[in-house]
Amino acid sequence: MCDVLRFDSRYELFRSGISFLIPQVLIHVMIFALLKRKGKRNHDLLSVVSQSYLRGEDRGVKKAILMAVELRTMVLGHFLVISLALNAGLLYRNYCGGEHKSQNIFSFKSECKNSSSASTMAFLETNFQPSKPALSEVIDLDHGDPTMYERYWQQTGDRTTVVIPGWKFISYFSDVRSLCWFLEPEFASSVVRLHKLVGNAATDGRYIVVGTGSTQLFQAALYAVSPPNASEPISVVSAAPFYSVSRLQPTFLLPRFVNSMHDFDVSHTVVDRVVLQSYPQITDFLRSGLYKWAGDARKFKRDAPYIELVTSPNNPDGLSRVAVVNRDRGVLVHDLAYYWPQYTPISSPPADHDIMLFTVSKSTGHAGTRLGWALVKDKETARKMTEFIVLTSIGVSKESQLRAAKILQVISDSHEQRGIFDEGEAFFEHKYHHMARRWKQLRAAVEKSKLFRLPEFPHGKCEFSGRTFALQPAFAWLKCEGDTEDCEAFLRGHKVLTRSGKHFGESTRHVRISMLPRDEVFDQFTERLASITSLPLPSPSST
């Protein structure tokens, strides 16, 4: 026998329910006692009346009086039972199945089960659904938080629920026979299965290295391929515009709470974010003597060893990329985080590079799981990448790997076992149509405004889906037309937050816009963008 601890939302509800129920029970117990006492007194009274008045001569009248008194007592007793039932039903409806259910409060529920089926389930119920932003609110599309995926995973129900027994994952080790000994076999097999299904990357003869998101894997790759005894750090380059995101600061929008934690006004203070995470910042963050950032790959002219980062599809402009430098003594690291069929056509044959990086945040939308993987050809490179991850985090969360494995399995099942899924539930099919609608909606808003421009993407045949379509990236690389030199500042004036092109090595006339927020946020953004039809008047000081 064992106790099962379960994160639930009913501790406060139970306590408040008890405070309501106890007075009800006491009142009904008192009523029941009075009824019982009254019944006895009625029976005694009936006996006296019958002896003094009827003297035993009219038994029919005595019987009728007795039945009337007993009927009255029975009716009151039944009324007591019905009253108790109604109060209990009302309590259950309000505190277990009604309006209080959506409150997100931590509590613990203890249950006893047979040891053969004992398990520990830990999950947080989150039923809060954000309301559509008001016209006066700030729309934050600066970072690529993939909340667009929430609705799909909500509709899958319990298919991705993971139950983890309390005795599981005690050890540091997952598979001591594997080069990456903290890699869960179930996650590894799910990765291989998904890549074979989609056909976007070769997996045969590859080593899988798991990391806490692709950022850690990127740093591990730099550590692994840098010469250990070089006279100077090896140069790291990437063609502009290159990857850049901002630090996610909870103080960026300073909310004014109105009624509750979920009811606030974000239309007031905006604090500039500090760019913390980009190829330049990630490369130089550790102040490593092994490698250093050397800028735009198109401008790299040195005849020396180098590492080139190739992101395809590229973040921020969404274009397919190939290596730029193409010289001897160069090492390539391919970031293929967005190389999935909801964003871009999958070509044939599968990608077959020395080091390929992927992450669940871009493929499935589960950014909070913080998990990525690398497919590596060379054994020594995979060993050194594993060494870096051991030195920095002593492995990777097994719980995250198990959850990600389940999610990847469900994605594969949705395409391979169509019979058990409803029409339109196949993951990549569903997300392809979702992205297609968004890009059509954004292009219509840009066309109506006349003040902006979007890149035109080439069409390609997708070997996975069989359809021909243009790229539909996770980010929009928007350019301000006319006299607008600072597109980020211009859109901020309309309470739309974006990321300036200067952080990607490009002009301030460009901004990157996330295409992955919730539907209501994206709808509000396109409505606001379409309404921007004129430039601000120049200030007196500029004339």
Side-chain angles (χ1 to χ4, degrees):
M1 305 294 289
C2 72
D3 289 335
V4 175
L5 295 180
R6 178 178 178 177
F7 287 112
D8 199 58
S9 61
R10 296 188 172 88
Y11 174 68
E12 294 295 334
L13 306 181
F14 172 76
R15 189 169 63 179
S16 60
I18 287 297
S19 65
F20 171 81
L21 184 61
I22 288 177
Q24 295 287 326
V25 171
L26 291 176
I27 291 172
H28 284 82
V29 167
M30 292 174 62
I31 294 174
F32 183 79
L34 289 172
L35 283 174
K36 186 174 180 181
R37 182 178 179 186
K38 188 175 178 95
K40 184 177 183 303
R41 291 179 61 186
N42 285 340
H43 188 273
D44 292 342
L45 178 62
L46 179 63
S47 298
V48 172
V49 171
S50 61
Q51 290 176 8
S52 61
Y53 179 73
L54 299 174
R55 299 186 183 277
E57 296 177 0
D58 192 343
R59 297 180 180 271
V61 175
K62 177 181 178 181
K63 185 175 181 180
I65 295 174
L66 180 60
M67 288 178 63
V69 174
E70 289 181 347
L71 178 62
R72 178 187 177 190
T73 303
M74 181 178 65
V75 169
L76 291 175
H78 286 180
F79 174 78
L80 171 64
V81 173
I82 293 171
S83 177
L84 282 170
L86 288 174
N87 277 278
L90 180 63
L91 182 67
Y92 177 81
R93 186 192 68 179
N94 288 341
Y95 289 91
C96 297
E99 64 269 14
H100 297 280
K101 187 177 181 180
S102 61
Q103 297 183 21
N104 298 317
I105 304 170
F106 279 112
S107 70
F108 296 90
K109 180 178 179 181
S110 179
E111 301 173 3
C112 291
K113 294 185 180 296
N114 188 283
S115 59
S116 63
S117 61
S119 62
T120 299
M121 179 180 295
F123 63 90
L124 174 64
E125 294 180 349
T126 307
N127 297 322
F128 167 63
Q129 295 295 331
S131 59
K132 184 175 180 179
L135 283 172
S136 62
E137 289 185 358
V138 173
I139 300 174
D140 187 354
L141 301 177
D142 184 354
H143 57 277
D145 199 20
T147 50
M148 175 191 80
Y149 288 88
E150 279 181 346
R151 187 163 298 173
Y152 176 86
W153 292 113
Q154 287 173 348
Q155 291 171 351
T156 61
D158 293 332
R159 288 193 177 108
T160 54
T161 298
V162 177
V163 179
I164 304 176
W167 54 266
K168 288 277 286 185
F169 304 144
I170 298 298
S171 172
Y172 287 110
F173 301 93
S174 296
D175 185 358
V176 294
R177 299 167 299 178
S178 173
L179 186 148
C180 184
W181 48 264
F182 46 84
L183 170 65
E184 283 294 305
E186 189 174 356
F187 177 66
S189 62
S190 298
V191 165
V192 171
R193 180 188 175 194
L194 186 63
H195 280 305
K196 288 186 178 296
L197 168 69
V198 176
N200 61 341
T203 56
D204 293 340
R206 300 302 195 280
Y207 297 93
I208 299 177
V209 180
V210 64
T212 305
S214 58
T215 299
Q216 187 184 35
L217 289 167
F218 167 60
Q219 290 182 317
L222 295 183
Y223 170 81
V225 301
S226 297
N229 300 313
S231 59
E232 62 177 353
I234 189 172
S235 297
V236 180
V237 297
S238 183
F242 40 71
Y243 166 71
S244 171
V245 298
S246 60
R247 190 175 78 183
L248 308 183
Q249 298 183 96
T251 56
F252 177 58
L253 296 178
L254 301 180
R256 178 174 62 84
F257 293 101
V258 180
N259 296 317
S260 67
M261 287 184 63
H262 294 153
D263 186 8
F264 52 83
D265 180 5
V266 297
S267 62
H268 299 283
T269 305
V270 177
V271 181
D272 286 337
R273 289 187 178 183
V274 177
V275 174
L276 181 66
Q277 198 167 350
S278 66
Y279 280 155
Q281 278 75 20
I282 296 171
T283 302
D284 291 338
F285 178 72
L286 296 178
R287 303 283 196 270
S288 174
L290 297 176
Y291 50 83
K292 66 177 181 180
W293 177 251
D296 188 349
R298 294 187 179 90
K299 300 177 181 179
F300 183 72
K301 304 301 182 184
R302 292 188 61 195
D303 184 16
Y306 67 92
I307 302 171
E308 183 175 355
L309 311 172
V310 182
T311 306
S312 185
N314 189 42
N315 176 359
D317 59 12
L319 296 173
S320 297
R321 286 285 190 85
V322 295
V324 171
V325 180
N326 293 319
R327 297 193 204 131
D328 294 337
R329 297 191 290 170
V331 179
L332 302 181
V333 177
H334 283 78
D335 185 348
L336 305 183
Y338 296 98
Y339 191 45
W340 296 98
Q342 67 266 47
Y343 305 123
T344 184
I346 303 301
S347 60
S348 182
D352 187 17
H353 308 294
D354 291 341
I355 304 173
M356 299 180 286
L357 308 182
F358 296 89
T359 171
V360 296
S361 64
K362 310 305 187 295
S363 55
T364 74
H366 290 83
T369 302
R370 305 309 310 130
L371 200 68
W373 67 94
L375 301 178
V376 185
K377 276 186 181 180
D378 180 64
K379 182 177 182 180
E380 181 61 17
T381 301
R383 187 195 66 77
K384 292 192 71 176
M385 290 180 68
T386 301
E387 179 183 284
F388 179 88
I389 292 170
V390 171
L391 290 173
T392 54
S393 59
I394 319 180
V396 177
S397 167
K398 296 182 180 182
E399 285 83 356
S400 290
Q401 292 186 62
L402 188 62
R403 183 183 188 221
K406 183 66 173 178
I407 291 165
L408 299 186
Q409 289 168 8
V410 170
I411 291 176
S412 296
D413 289 344
S414 71
H415 290 273
E416 294 176 343
Q417 303 177 20
R418 295 292 185 98
I420 63 175
F421 286 81
D422 295 336
E423 184 178 355
E425 274 195 320
F427 176 78
F428 291 118
E429 187 77 9
H430 185 279
K431 293 292 100 182
Y432 163 80
H433 290 294
H434 202 165
M435 292 301 301
R437 288 193 301 271
R438 290 201 167 189
W439 271 98
K440 182 178 180 181
Q441 187 175 337
L442 177 59
R443 290 191 182 279
V446 168
E447 177 64 25
K448 185 175 181 180
S449 172
K450 307 293 186 185
L451 297 181
F452 308 97
R453 188 172 69 186
L454 288 168
E456 294 295 331
F457 298 116
H459 286 66
K461 174 71 177 295
C462 181
E463 297 298 327
F464 171 73
S465 65
R467 63 168 57 93
T468 298
F469 65 96
L471 281 71
Q472 40 195 42
F475 294 100
W477 191 232
L478 188 72
K479 182 180 180 181
C480 282
E481 298 282 64
D483 297 330
T484 304
E485 294 293 334
D486 191 339
C487 197
E488 180 188 23
F490 176 63
L491 288 173
R492 188 190 297 121
H494 293 274
K495 297 185 179 179
V496 177
L497 305 182
T498 60
R499 180 120 297 267
S500 173
K502 67 183 180 181
H503 300 299
F504 303 90
E506 282 286 354
S507 164
T508 57
R509 296 176 69 91
H510 284 89
V511 292
R512 190 196 71 172
I513 296 172
S514 172
M515 297 289 289
L516 305 180
R518 295 180 178 92
D519 288 338
E520 56 270 18
V521 175
F522 189 78
D523 292 344
Q524 186 66 46
F525 161 64
T526 53
E527 290 174 12
R528 190 172 301 180
L529 192 70
S531 68
I532 304 173
T533 56
S534 61
L535 295 173
L537 295 175
S539 61
S541 59
S542 63
T543 58

